Amino acid sequence: MNQKLVLFLRGCFSFAVLLAVWYAASNTGIFGRVDVDRGKLLLPDPGTMALELWENIKTGYLLYNIWVSLLRVLKGFCLAVVIGMPIGILMGMSETIRNFLHPIFRLFAPIPGAAWVPLAILWFGLGDSAAVFIITMGALSPIITNTLQGVMEVDEKLIQVLRIMDAGGWQIVKYCIIPSIIPYLVSGFRLGLGFAWRAVIAAELVGVPNGMGYVLNVGRNTANTAITLIVILSLGVIMMLMENLFFTPLECFTENWKSKE
Amino acid sequence: MIAIQNVTKYFKKNHLRKDETDTRFQVLDNITFTIQDGEFVSFIGPSGCGKSTLLRMIAGLLPADGGRVLVDGQKVKGPGSDRMMVFQDYVLFPWMNVRKNISAGLKIRGENKESVDKKTDWAIGLVGLEGFEQVYPHQLSGGMKQRVAIARAIVMNPDILLMDEPFGALDSFTRINLQEELIRLWEKNHYTTCLVTHDCDEAVYLSDRIVVFTSSPARVQDIISVDLPRPRDRNRSEFIDLRNHILQLGRIQAEQQERQERCL
């Protein structure tokens, strides 16, 4: 049997076991710990969930809110990349800039994205801009850190070779710095995107009136456990898809030349 | 012509002893000699003596602290593609295949695609890398990597070729092969060539003249002309005598150095 099929079947088995345990827990009142009715309310069984999921897909409610959050994350994340990557590269290439920015960076980097939520709401009101701001602040520091580390570890001799070839600053960035730091960027982006999702959920839980975090909150307020679970699982699915569609190909690209010694 | 005039160079000390007040040590002491156009000159001396430093100064990667380095009467102010360099550890771009490694310099220079392709093909042919164009450096042996590095240098059609122990990391068969190919290339194109080596055999086989350095700080101990006809026969008695003579100079040096280190 080929490798992929084995992996697929193994995955199916894992989920089958999970669903079975879930179903049992739901229909036995969490294994007899609570009443059966209450158990169904706390943990709806997979069938109920599937119906709820279908209802929400049909009305477009779920997909709309996923789309809203996704768009926010992408906006905030792209903004963080556009701001963070050049800062990281400049900090890596120039000692003066590094010395100047490092103390400021050290102060701001450890602040969790969610801590910016109240300030963002004060500044931008309850809406898209606030969410994007929070996401950007959350994703910025891992992107800067990893870009900087990548640039600091660029092979000095490759830059010498380029200087001998009369390469200018931009050509050194294009021919050497960017390709060298791709592996670092992948881990920076991965961390940054994780932070971005955390930030967006926090922002939407607290007040931004749509998106996945908002649906989670509505689910809690209306005692609709099914929809909160669906949103939580959707988050997992989205992260998995992003990993497979975005990061794995980027990593494969570097596999081409990364020395296997 | 390369003119090295009273060149002096200091490096910063990494570890200072308590009683030391001088924070720098001298690498090169008042070096003066000239290299003619088209000449093949080797720098030989104990490892760490500063011969590579001098090569880097000709390349324009390091400034002189005293004296000056002139190329065709102009003071060297920085690196330039008229002086291409080949390193011992190849320094290829790992994310570019062989062809892209070789053509990178031409693209940086802004040549059009047709000219880039033509010159790259020429260089690939010259070093015998046909069929390896799409291969990445990590898939190549040391000798092949150094061929790529040499092609990357000559494709720019430099006046001067600077080589920093280019064959130092290769096995002796590959080394002899590449030495012969280098001489063939040099005879065809007559680059002014400076080669740093600590292999006496290599120096005598390749060079018109050999500059022998003393160590710490490096001074010119002797400049030896090699007046043997090419292609040179490594078994001729003149070849062997010359090689032994240089070895002898080196051994005296090494002994002195050891004695100095023991005194410290």
Side-chain angles (χ1 to χ4, degrees):
Chain A
M1 244 191 303
N2 71 36
Q3 201 82 36
K4 270 189 179 164
L5 190 63
V6 172
L7 275 177
F8 178 73
L9 288 177
R10 224 182 266 162
C12 287
F13 178 71
S14 302
F15 282 114
V17 171
L18 179 69
L19 283 175
V21 173
W22 183 346
Y23 185 84
S26 174
N27 284 288
T28 57
I30 326 291
F31 303 110
R33 280 182 174 75
V34 294
D35 300 334
V36 174
D37 286 346
R38 204 167 127 71
K40 282 205 168 175
L41 185 70
L42 290 178
L43 187 66
D45 70 35
T48 320
M49 292 259 308
L51 273 176
E52 181 75 28
L53 177 65
W54 174 239
E55 277 302 310
N56 281 295
I57 287 176
K58 225 166 47 183
T59 58
Y61 179 69
L62 181 67
L63 292 182
Y64 165 74
N65 283 295
I66 289 181
W67 173 245
V68 166
S69 294
L70 190 67
L71 211 60
R72 277 181 191 143
V73 165
L74 290 182
K75 270 189 207 160
F77 177 71
C78 289
L79 207 59
V81 171
V82 168
I83 299 170
M85 245 178 77
I87 291 182
I89 291 176
L90 285 174
M91 279 174 82
M93 285 177 80
S94 149
E95 214 184 325
T96 320
I97 296 178
R98 183 161 65 248
N99 288 341
F100 174 71
L101 286 180
H102 211 252
I104 302 175
F105 180 68
R106 284 273 302 271
L107 173 67
F108 280 92
I111 299 173
W116 293 100
V117 172
L119 185 70
I121 290 172
L122 280 176
W123 280 359
F124 300 101
L126 290 171
D128 241 21
S129 327
V132 171
F133 172 77
I134 296 156
I135 296 160
T136 308
M137 294 313 280
L140 204 52
S141 77
I143 290 172
I144 294 180
T145 314
N146 282 274
T147 312
L148 173 62
Q149 199 196 345
V151 177
M152 298 298 282
E153 274 162 44
V154 169
D155 187 352
E156 189 60 38
K157 277 190 163 174
L158 284 174
I159 293 178
Q160 286 181 6
V161 167
L162 286 169
R163 285 179 58 210
I164 289 171
M165 291 169 174
D166 290 326
W170 167 242
Q171 283 169 322
I172 290 177
V173 171
K174 181 179 144 197
Y175 279 90
C176 179
I177 309 260
I178 289 182
S180 306
I181 63 176
I182 283 177
Y184 294 88
L185 288 183
V186 174
S187 43
F189 286 0
R190 193 176 268 150
L191 277 170
L193 204 59
F195 282 32
W197 274 107
R198 267 175 245 178
V200 80
I201 296 299
E204 289 164 356
L205 274 175
V206 168
V208 178
N210 46 19
M212 295 170 85
Y214 171 75
V215 178
L216 283 174
N217 224 1
V218 170
R220 192 199 60 164
N221 291 336
T222 58
N224 186 345
T225 325
I227 190 75
T228 55
L229 276 168
I230 286 168
V231 171
I232 290 170
L233 293 179
S234 317
L235 272 174
V237 172
I238 291 170
M239 296 304 272
M240 228 166 73
L241 283 177
M242 285 202 160
E243 179 69 35
N244 285 344
L245 297 178
F246 184 53
F247 292 117
T248 313
L250 254 179
E251 262 177 350
C252 281
F253 169 73
T254 64
E255 285 301 313
N256 258 341
W257 50 263
K258 241 200 275 173
S259 71
K260 280 144 192 153
E261 287 142 34
Chain B
M1 194 178 78
I2 306 170
I4 292 149
Q5 299 176 338
N6 308 101
V7 167
T8 304
K9 180 76 190 169
Y10 295 92
F11 277 162
K12 237 190 221 149
K13 276 178 189 158
N14 284 329
H15 304 288
L16 272 185
R17 285 204 313 268
K18 266 188 188 154
D19 52 330
E20 276 179 320
T21 48
D22 199 358
T23 57
R24 44 183 215 168
F25 65 95
Q26 195 169 16
V27 198
L28 300 174
D29 181 19
N30 202 15
I31 311 268
T32 300
F33 62 91
T34 57
I35 298 167
Q36 299 304 320
D37 285 340
E39 198 178 13
F40 198 127
V41 174
S42 289
F43 301 172
I44 202 164
S47 34
C49 81
K51 48 197 194 300
S52 294
T53 307
L54 186 60
L55 199 73
R56 262 150 230 264
M57 289 165 78
I58 300 171
L61 293 169
L62 284 174
D65 292 326
R68 49 191 194 160
V69 178
L70 303 175
V71 171
D72 295 330
Q74 296 285 315
K75 195 175 169 197
V76 171
K77 291 206 177 86
S81 62
D82 57 323
R83 285 156 284 139
M84 290 302 288
M85 189 146 167
V86 175
F87 297 85
Q88 177 178 5
D89 43 0
Y90 328 116
V91 201
L92 302 175
F93 299 105
W95 47 83
M96 296 183 195
N97 62 27
V98 166
R99 190 175 183 88
K100 285 188 176 147
N101 258 290
I102 295 171
S103 61
L106 298 171
K107 286 182 194 153
I108 285 169
R109 199 187 262 172
E111 298 199 10
N112 62 41
K113 194 182 175 302
E114 199 185 332
S115 151
V116 169
D117 285 346
K118 208 178 91 192
K119 288 180 180 175
T120 309
D121 286 336
W122 168 80
I124 287 173
L126 224 48
V127 296
L129 280 168
E130 298 100 334
F132 289 89
E133 284 99 330
Q134 306 305 324
V135 170
Y136 283 84
H138 72 87
Q139 296 164 294
L140 293 172
S141 66
M144 295 299 267
K145 282 185 203 166
Q146 202 54 287
R147 281 167 202 267
V148 178
I150 291 170
R152 182 174 69 178
I154 60 173
V155 80
M156 301 296 278
N157 192 26
D159 300 324
I160 297 168
L161 203 54
L162 303 168
M163 309 186 92
D164 191 1
E165 296 190 34
F167 311 135
L170 305 176
D171 66 78
S172 47
F173 305 107
T174 314
R175 193 184 312 155
I176 286 174
N177 258 336
L178 278 176
Q179 285 168 1
E180 284 169 4
E181 290 201 22
L182 177 62
I183 277 301
R184 219 174 299 140
L185 275 175
W186 172 77
E187 282 176 337
K188 223 181 271 176
N189 301 290
H190 271 278
Y191 308 109
T192 309
T193 308
C194 303
L195 175 111
V196 167
T197 180
H198 49 232
D199 180 348
C200 299
D201 188 84
E202 181 170 283
V204 177
Y205 184 74
L206 295 172
S207 325
D208 292 324
R209 281 191 303 156
I210 301 169
V211 183
V212 185
F213 289 96
T214 66
S215 85
S216 48
R219 299 190 187 92
V220 176
Q221 185 182 19
D222 204 351
I223 297 179
I224 295 160
S225 294
V226 186
D227 295 318
L228 297 171
R230 295 172 195 271
R232 287 177 183 158
D233 178 357
R234 291 176 211 256
N235 297 316
R236 250 171 91 147
S237 62
E238 293 99 317
F239 188 103
I240 295 166
D241 288 348
L242 201 52
R243 191 189 63 197
N244 288 346
H245 172 61
I246 296 165
L247 265 174
Q248 196 56 40
L249 287 175
R251 272 176 59 187
I252 298 167
Q253 268 303 308
E255 258 170 53
Q256 278 175 355
Q257 195 181 352
E258 249 183 290
R259 218 168 295 145
Q260 263 179 8
E261 275 163 13
R262 230 174 286 157
C263 287
L264 294 171

